[in-house]
Amino acid sequence: MAIERYNAPEREPHWQKVWEQRQTFRTATDTSRPKCYVLEMFPYPSGRIHMGHVRNYTMGDVLARYKKAQGFNVLHPMGWDAFGMPAENAAMERKVHPKAWTYENIAAMKGQLKSMGLSLDWSREIATCDPSYYVHQQRMFLDMLREGLVYRRSAKVNWDPVDHTVLANEQVIDGRGWRSGALVEQRDLQQWAFRITHYTQDLLEALGTLEKWPEKVRLMQANWIGRSEGLMLRWTLDAATAPAGHSELEVFTTRPDTLFGASFMAIAPDHPLAKAAATKDPNLAAFCDECRRMGTSVAEIETAEKKGYDTGIKAVHPFDPNWTVPVYVANFILMDYGTGAIFGCPGHDQRDIEFAKKLGLPILPVVAPKDEPKRGQAIAKVHEGVAFLEDGVMINSRFLDGLTPAEAFDEVAKRLEAETLAGTPVAQRKINYRLRDWGISRQRYWGCPIPVVHCKDCGTVPVPHNQLPVTLPDDATFDLPGNPLDRHPTWKHVDCPKCGKAATRETDTMDTFVDSSWYFARFTAPDAKTPTDRAALDYWMPVDQYIGGIEHAILHLLYSRFFYRAMGETGHAGGKNIREPFAALFTQGMVVHETYRRAGVEPPQWLLPTEVAIEGDGDGRKATEIATGKPAIIGSIEKMSKSKKNLVDPDDIIQHWGADCARWFMLSDSPPERDVIWTEAGVSSAGRFMQRVWRLVDLAIEKAAAKDAPRPESIGSEALALRRATHKALDQVGRNIEALRFNVAVAQLYELSNALSEAFGKSGDGLGWAQREATELLVQMLGPMMPHLAEECWARLGYNTLIAEQPWPKAEPALLVDDTVVVAVQVNGKRRDELSVSRSATLAEVEAAAMGLPSIVRALEGRKPKKVIVVPQRIVNVVV
RNA sequence: GCGGACGUGGUGGAACCGGUAGACACACAGGACUUAAAAUCCUGAGAUGGCAACAUCGUGCGGGUUCGACUCCCGCCGUCCGCACCA
């Protein structure tokens, strides 16, 4: 028969249409069935999908299809994280309205995702920029406002001078805006904020319950929350030196044990005490101003020298009324951590020692190594400027001498807790966190409007529920920097909902991370009249498997954990006592590709992979720019990016090779958590495998038993071997998909294909039937990974059902174990031979057989074995 | 500086709970088919030595535990990632 090649690009749309017409992937809430919620992080509608999306969505799709075949009621939805800066930038640059731009992008990307053949329930599609979505967000915002989980504050904020907006701490990376890359400035602004710190302790502790999250992400979040245990400690100020109204100074310390090594106090430039002192000291005022201007970038912080200004104020040591230390204003003290003030113990804090050296302050070591001989050296190093940070024993510390630092910590705490100053204890144990509340005000147009009105008389007034949503005006202008909502002629002018007098709307919009903090909940009932439908939500939540990039380890994943708790508090979630939205998280690796650039040009001029021709192999590979014929340089392998032009367009691949090919390649070889290198060779290899499956089905039609042929009475050894290979693959592939070890599942399918190919060249009792079985099961197992090809093959094998609707086949347990096993035989742990024995052979039989092997006799060289270790079905080790 | 991950052939990677290291794939070499190419099929291959049988070495380096270590422990080296003046 003439063998035709499988034309994937032509056949794939057909099967997509069939699935769509049959509504194969439409999901309904059905509490009688076990559920499985598979979710991939929804995309920002930038205009085109990239290979990272292909990888992410392929992984989720394999799992979703597999779980469906396993009998689960699977929720696998898709939507759009549709608010954000790029739409506004497009509006400024190209005079397109952000809304039009966004919806055009959504349409284009939806088409691309559909061409991937994903098993998505498109009837649940949501776009966060749609009023039907954000109306609920506004409603929840107001509910949270009522509960005190949202509040307005005047705060120092991170101001991005390029995007003209405020950024959350989480969005400042190395002192730069996460999107614009501009150096962030500090500004004082009125800000809306979510009280994420209300859940600090819970967010930290619950990380321990997230067993199916990567350890790495849990650690990153724990570090971000940044718990530290210490003491709040009040120092009395010497009245003669302190400004009026300032009689004490409170500090937070994690090392109260080092109290006798204190040589100075330091306060932040914005500390009230500093401000009070500055009113009388113009030099101090100037110093504080200088500190405030200091940049926040890494480079600046690292190179910034410790600077301090002696206020002249003296603080009295808590344990000795005659001992005072000077109070400095210092540039490295942060106002928003602890109390904005510290006591400095230079001996045991690197930062303090640098400061002390710089300003010539005393350095007194109070902890020393336990071993006497090591002490001298450690103390000498302290005087050279290296703080001693290890454990040891207390010295130079009066009643603490001889204790360990931990014991000294407790002793100091105990004594100072008992002492009082103006009626309250001098010290209190305190747990401090690094996590700050989440400022969400953004001075942008393309975001969810914050539904409040500012009234001169009534203050901040929530927009009543029946007036929601507060929608964005369509006729905004984008030709000037700044907030288009603020300069809109009419939008912000409204009557106060309370008193009816003229008032103004809040013109800030919400951080887009708010939108993505609950979309997973909305997917469970996207048409509900309320933010969530509790019955549907309680059935579907939590997400059973969430898949996305590691870049969201803190931002999105921490915000969502907070938001789900806040939704619980306001009655929008919280069934089954579930506080965590994502039961399992998987962070996939990036898609990387070689870079190409023109030779001999600086700065580099990058070339697209499609613009170069590559010849040769190995180290001799040479690239040429096709258009000019000039040599090009093959550069390092990096994350696909527009700037380096090392992009491959998913559309090109799908149109040329087919979606299944792209999917298969994404799953092959690289473990999903690691980066995958996209190569031409890899794609063509995947393409070859598709054709190979196609030919195997040809061969099955030609040689194997007919569909529904009865199981033969007699199964020969060849047939049995094939059946064993088939059922083992079935067992293993299922397990590996479940564990998201797709690369291993792929390898097992290759193995089965090899076994089947071989079997077609043989003959034997029952082999035709075994070939038929193997082919059908292979096709079924390919279903989640290459769904179109699998449907095509399934049809050719004579079925008029859909693979996508077939239950996952079950392996026959009897075929998973072999009658005979091959056992390695070692002499002194070195492999010398192997032995084929019956599974049921006794230890003695195995030992005897091993000792009888000529190679073993030879290796023993006549020596008497001291011991023979036999591990059933594994190994024999002869020890001489 | 703090925290974490990783290190296996020419390449991507596999190896369950400590039990035959290198599955599977890519690249490569040789062969078959073909006028030729493509496609396909077959064969080979960790390194070194040897015609071969075989021997020795081999999972970043150095030690240790064990009959037996890619796997466990200790100490290094290297690469990557996250956080970072957090008191």
Side-chain angles (χ1 to χ4, degrees), chain A residues 262-560:
Chain A
S263 71
F264 64 92
M265 311 282 287
I267 59 178
D270 286 313
H271 194 281
L273 181 59
K275 286 180 176 166
T279 56
K280 288 188 207 138
D281 182 346
N283 289 334
L284 175 57
F287 178 80
C288 291
D289 280 344
E290 192 193 322
C291 291
R292 285 187 200 104
R293 275 197 302 274
M294 192 186 71
T296 49
S297 79
V298 170
E300 282 172 289
I301 286 169
E302 267 179 2
T303 55
E305 285 193 56
K306 302 278 175 288
K307 282 183 192 161
Y309 185 95
D310 190 349
T311 59
I313 304 167
K314 304 281 183 199
V316 183
H317 196 281
F319 284 122
D320 187 345
N322 299 316
W323 181 354
T324 61
V325 295
V327 178
Y328 283 78
V329 171
N331 62 345
F332 61 93
I333 304 299
L334 308 171
M335 190 55 223
D336 66 353
Y337 188 80
T339 62
I342 63 154
F343 82 80
C345 175
H348 309 284
D349 183 297
Q350 193 55 40
R351 199 191 39 205
D352 291 351
I353 208 167
E354 281 169 30
F355 187 74
K357 283 230 139 199
K358 186 91 198 289
L359 291 145
L361 293 160
I363 297 169
L364 178 68
V366 289
V367 185
K370 277 203 178 78
D371 302 350
E372 296 270 0
K374 288 186 186 167
R375 284 191 188 174
Q377 204 199 349
I379 289 169
K381 285 202 103 174
V382 166
H383 288 293
E384 281 165 29
V386 182
F388 181 75
L389 306 171
E390 290 156 51
D391 201 14
V393 291
M394 305 307 302
I395 57 167
N396 301 328
S397 294
R398 305 186 191 184
F399 56 84
L400 299 175
D401 283 352
L403 300 179
T404 64
E407 289 163 349
F409 183 119
D410 288 338
E411 184 60 28
V412 169
K414 202 176 81 190
R415 290 193 186 213
L416 293 179
E417 276 168 342
E419 220 164 287
T420 57
L421 188 65
T424 42
V426 168
Q428 249 183 309
R429 283 175 185 270
K430 169 99 200 264
I431 294 164
N432 219 332
Y433 298 94
R434 215 180 69 107
L435 185 70
R436 298 279 85 102
D437 279 334
W438 172 21
I440 57 151
S441 291
R442 297 292 179 271
Q443 293 68 42
R444 307 298 324 175
Y445 167 81
W446 196 231
C448 174
I450 293 172
V452 297
V453 170
H454 299 290
C455 172
K456 241 183 252 151
D457 297 335
C458 313
T460 303
V461 183
V463 173
H465 277 191
N466 62 12
Q467 289 175 31
L468 295 181
V470 174
T471 53
L472 293 168
D474 283 334
D475 56 344
T477 55
F478 305 95
D479 46 349
L480 299 164
N483 185 353
L485 288 179
D486 205 38
R487 62 165 179 265
H488 188 280
T490 55
W491 186 78
K492 69 177 174 187
H493 302 293
V494 286
D495 296 337
C496 170
K498 220 179 202 172
C499 67
K501 284 186 220 148
T504 53
R505 280 193 194 287
E506 173 65 65
T507 58
D508 284 353
T509 52
M510 293 185 211
D511 181 1
T512 56
F513 278 96
V514 181
D515 313 336
S516 55
S517 290
W518 72 286
Y519 77 107
F520 46 86
R522 185 69 186 165
F523 273 141
T524 65
D527 299 319
K529 297 267 186 303
T530 46
T532 58
D533 171 330
R534 287 297 301 277
L537 183 94
D538 291 348
Y539 170 65
W540 287 112
M541 289 297 287
V543 173
D544 293 279
Q545 181 67 61
Y546 198 31
I547 308 177
I550 186 80
E551 66 273 19
H552 294 106
I554 294 173
L555 294 167
H556 163 59
L557 290 166
L558 188 60
Y559 292 151
S560 295

Side-chain angles (χ1 to χ4, degrees), chain A residues 801-812:
Chain A
T801 52
L802 290 176
I803 284 271
E805 295 172 0
Q806 291 301 300
W808 192 255
K810 284 194 172 56
E812 289 178 25

Side-chain angles (χ1 to χ4, degrees), chain A residues 76-393:
Chain A
H76 188 211
M78 183 54 72
W80 310 97
D81 188 12
F83 273 135
M85 284 292 305
E88 267 181 88
N89 291 341
M92 281 184 263
E93 287 159 20
R94 282 181 270 155
K95 317 268 178 241
V96 233
H97 194 277
K99 189 178 179 178
W101 184 85
T102 302
Y103 279 98
E104 274 166 33
N105 288 349
I106 287 175
M109 289 175 76
K110 189 172 173 181
Q112 288 185 297
L113 291 183
K114 286 198 166 183
S115 76
M116 282 183 63
L118 302 170
S119 64
L120 294 165
D121 180 355
W122 282 105
S123 74
R124 290 173 186 261
E125 179 183 3
I126 52 183
T128 57
C129 64
D130 196 302
S132 70
Y133 179 80
Y134 70 69
V135 62
H136 301 294
Q137 190 164 306
Q138 291 176 340
R139 183 168 160 185
M140 286 193 290
F141 176 94
L142 294 175
D143 289 349
M144 291 176 193
L145 180 63
R146 193 191 60 226
E147 294 296 320
L149 290 166
V150 180
Y151 65 100
R152 195 161 145 87
R153 61 177 187 190
S154 173
K156 247 200 175 157
V157 295
N158 305 302
W159 178 260
D160 185 321
V162 169
D163 283 350
H164 293 281
T165 189
V166 167
L167 299 174
N169 286 341
E170 289 83 351
Q171 294 162 357
V172 179
I173 294 152
D174 293 348
R176 290 171 183 274
W178 70 292
R179 185 178 281 288
S180 72
L183 280 173
V184 167
E185 298 166 5
Q186 301 297 308
R187 285 199 185 177
D188 259 310
L189 279 181
Q190 284 283 309
Q191 277 275 298
W192 288 97
F194 277 118
R195 208 179 294 279
I196 190 167
T197 54
H198 179 68
Y199 300 101
T200 309
Q201 183 74 20
D202 186 33
L203 286 167
L204 183 66
E205 276 172 12
L207 285 173
T209 69
L210 298 174
E211 285 157 21
K212 295 180 185 170
W213 279 42
E215 187 62 33
K216 184 188 166 95
V217 175
R218 289 195 275 167
L219 253 158
M220 281 167 74
Q221 290 210 357
N223 288 340
W224 187 264
I225 294 168
R227 175 194 161 100
S228 54
E229 279 179 48
L231 217 56
M232 280 295 191
L233 180 58
R234 295 156 63 211
W235 293 58
T236 310
L237 296 178
D238 168 37
T241 56
H246 291 268
S247 62
E248 57 179 67
L249 178 60
E250 192 174 35
V251 300
F252 175 71
T253 175
T254 56
R255 294 295 303 272
D257 49 307
T258 64
L259 202 46
F260 288 105
S263 71
F264 64 92
M265 311 282 287
I267 59 178
D270 286 313
H271 194 281
L273 181 59
K275 286 180 176 166
T279 56
K280 288 188 207 138
D281 182 346
N283 289 334
L284 175 57
F287 178 80
C288 291
D289 280 344
E290 192 193 322
C291 291
R292 285 187 200 104
R293 275 197 302 274
M294 192 186 71
T296 49
S297 79
V298 170
E300 282 172 289
I301 286 169
E302 267 179 2
T303 55
E305 285 193 56
K306 302 278 175 288
K307 282 183 192 161
Y309 185 95
D310 190 349
T311 59
I313 304 167
K314 304 281 183 199
V316 183
H317 196 281
F319 284 122
D320 187 345
N322 299 316
W323 181 354
T324 61
V325 295
V327 178
Y328 283 78
V329 171
N331 62 345
F332 61 93
I333 304 299
L334 308 171
M335 190 55 223
D336 66 353
Y337 188 80
T339 62
I342 63 154
F343 82 80
C345 175
H348 309 284
D349 183 297
Q350 193 55 40
R351 199 191 39 205
D352 291 351
I353 208 167
E354 281 169 30
F355 187 74
K357 283 230 139 199
K358 186 91 198 289
L359 291 145
L361 293 160
I363 297 169
L364 178 68
V366 289
V367 185
K370 277 203 178 78
D371 302 350
E372 296 270 0
K374 288 186 186 167
R375 284 191 188 174
Q377 204 199 349
I379 289 169
K381 285 202 103 174
V382 166
H383 288 293
E384 281 165 29
V386 182
F388 181 75
L389 306 171
E390 290 156 51
D391 201 14
V393 291

Side-chain angles (χ1 to χ4, degrees), chain A residues 673-695:
Chain A
E673 68 278 8
R674 280 195 225 171
D675 292 350
V676 61
I677 306 172
W678 184 274
T679 58
E680 265 295 307
V683 195
S684 60
S685 156
R688 269 206 302 280
F689 180 66
M690 287 173 71
Q691 299 302 336
R692 221 176 128 214
V693 171
W694 188 247
R695 284 194 307 277

